[in-house]
Amino acid sequence: MELSQAAAPQPPEVVSSQSASTASLVDVDTPSVRTVPSDFMEQDIKTDTQATRQELEDAAERARAEAHLSKKKGAGRARRADSILSKWFGDLSHGASTALAVTNLAAVVGLSAYMGYKAWGLYERGRLGWQSVGVGTGIAASVGIVEGILGRYLYKGKKKQS
């Protein structure tokens, strides 16, 4: 028996004279089919997602504008305080500003000596630990920051005066 006799017959081929495109077919029985206005393609926002995104972007832009405005207002207040302190330090006479600098130096040296004396006492009693060193360092850093700020205003005031 030949191989062609044992095989199943070939299925018939259908030749279509029309295109088989189903892209234009719409199942009108489903509830997801909606009609749109004729100017749909000309609209800027076509979907709910686009509308939501646009609302979020508008809200973010308003928040940025408000933050920028409040930042400007805060900067104005800071400049006024800065100019008041600079003016006050600038109005000091040469003798008064020298006295202020000497008093400042004496206060820093006195505070440092007091903290050193207390640390030495804690060390001798065996109670000097990291917590005590941290507190002392924090106090020294705070005093240094205040000194730096006041020194800057004193320098600005004296610079404007001369």
Side-chain angles (χ1 to χ4, degrees), residues 2-160:
E2 265 185 50
L3 200 56
S4 62
Q5 292 174 347
Q10 291 291 328
E13 288 187 26
V14 178
V15 179
S16 171
S17 62
Q18 295 179 350
S19 69
S21 172
T22 59
S24 63
L25 299 179
V26 176
D27 186 5
V28 294
D29 294 333
T30 60
S32 65
V33 174
R34 297 186 221 162
T35 59
V36 295
S38 60
D39 65 340
F40 175 76
M41 293 306 288
E42 287 82 32
Q43 293 177 356
D44 289 336
I45 299 174
K46 295 179 176 68
T47 65
D48 294 338
T49 305
Q50 287 177 331
T52 303
R53 187 200 57 177
Q54 186 67 38
E55 289 172 8
L56 290 174
E57 287 175 354
D58 291 344
E61 183 61 35
R62 282 193 303 274
R64 273 193 293 274
E66 289 174 10
H68 184 68
L69 183 63
S70 65
K71 185 178 177 182
K72 277 187 173 181
K73 285 181 181 179
R77 287 188 208 120
R79 265 189 249 108
R80 275 196 301 271
D82 184 56
S83 66
I84 289 171
L85 285 172
S86 294
K87 184 179 182 304
W88 184 74
F89 281 121
D91 289 343
L92 292 175
S93 67
H94 183 67
S97 64
T98 303
L100 180 65
V102 168
T103 303
N104 189 15
L105 180 65
V108 169
V109 169
L111 180 65
S112 299
Y114 177 75
M115 286 175 41
Y117 174 76
K118 285 296 193 178
W120 184 259
L122 287 173
Y123 174 75
E124 284 195 347
R125 284 183 275 154
R127 299 192 60 180
L128 182 65
W130 286 111
Q131 184 178 9
S132 303
V133 171
V135 169
T137 304
I139 291 171
S142 300
V143 169
I145 290 170
V146 170
E147 293 295 318
I149 292 171
L150 292 178
R152 183 182 62 160
Y153 286 121
L154 181 62
Y155 177 72
K156 273 185 181 178
K158 289 301 164 186
K159 188 176 175 182
K160 286 181 183 177

